[in-house]
Amino acid sequence: MSDQSEVSILQHSITQRKNSQINIVLRQNEGELEVAEEALSEAAKKHMPLERIQQEMEQLIGLKEMKYLLKEVYAWLYVNKCRQENGLKQNTQALHMMFKGNPGTGKTTVARLLGTLFLEMNVLSKGHLIEVERADLVGEYIGHTAQKTRDLVKKARGGILFIDEAYSLARGGEKDFGKEAIDTLVKAMEDYHKDFILILAGYSEEMDHFLSLNPGLPSRFPLVIDFPDYSNEQLLQIARKMAAERQYRFSKETEWKLKQTFMKKRERETAAFSNGRFVRNIIEKAIRKQAVRLLQAKVIDRSSLELLLPEDIHVED
């Protein structure tokens, strides 16, 4: 065999080895990538409940503190479960909560989402929400209140009992039956804490006063969340969202009038601004006024059916 042939064979052999090595490296990288992807997939599956709830929460405007707290509570529950699996002591903590803020700031919506999260985390067996107020709890004679309250707690077990304007339970003084409802609720919080969550909601100042009337209450609500009023820009975002859900839209002039309306309303009602509820009422009224306006139109096309104009926005003084 000639020297040239030997060189040619040797070069071909080296090329094959190099190609072989390259192929091996590629397969190795692909394998590592697959393992990494599987690991990420498993991690994603583990935290799927949090992922789903966070996606739901992202649809809500504002609520920055609540969104962080949600992740904090989930992390605590998850790590507690890991500690149990590894033979370590669990950190027991009640999940009863207090929501403080004006109406229309998302308190009930968040409570429903928490029920879903706690169901998926096996913290609650049903995850449903029972929403009540003073009239649902307080009876007309001695003993009636305790029975009504126990019945509602029974319905709420496995889920969340949400009491709106909870401060009203303490308004009547010592002889009022509201105190009986509070005492019954406190007992239920202890007896059924493993499958029952109580959320009290109401105006910030009134809830602070309510807690001050009973020294034993503050310690029973480790999670106190403030729901601040929305800014004017956030209210406009909510208005756009509500309109879009109903297949309506605003002109630029309409948006300007809405902003002015929010500013004026907030100036008049600094202590009890109803936020989202106020926006919803404006949108629903605007839709009705638009319908009356379109009765006079010669042509009604898709664009005119969708568009809400400044004259459709009306707020009574």
Side-chain angles (χ1 to χ4, degrees), residues 274-292:
S274 57
N275 289 274
R277 295 181 192 176
F278 176 68
V279 176
R280 184 177 65 245
N281 289 339
I282 285 181
I283 299 302
E284 289 175 352
K285 188 176 288 187
I287 289 171
R288 295 196 299 270
K289 287 184 71 66
Q290 184 230 42
V292 173

Side-chain angles (χ1 to χ4, degrees), residues 113-170:
L113 289 175
L114 286 173
T116 303
L117 173 65
F118 293 148
L119 173 63
E120 295 196 29
M121 287 290 296
N122 295 318
V123 174
L124 295 173
S125 59
K126 297 177 183 176
H128 62 299
L129 180 78
I130 302 291
E131 186 179 357
V132 300
E133 55 188 21
R134 177 189 164 91
D136 300 305
L137 297 163
V138 178
E140 299 173 358
Y141 49 84
I142 295 173
H144 189 208
T145 295
Q147 188 57 51
K148 286 183 75 173
T149 304
R150 280 195 294 266
D151 288 343
L152 283 170
V153 169
K154 187 177 179 180
K155 288 181 183 178
R157 283 181 63 182
I160 295 173
L161 181 62
F162 182 90
I163 305 178
D164 199 13
E165 297 183 359
Y167 50 81
S168 63
L169 293 173

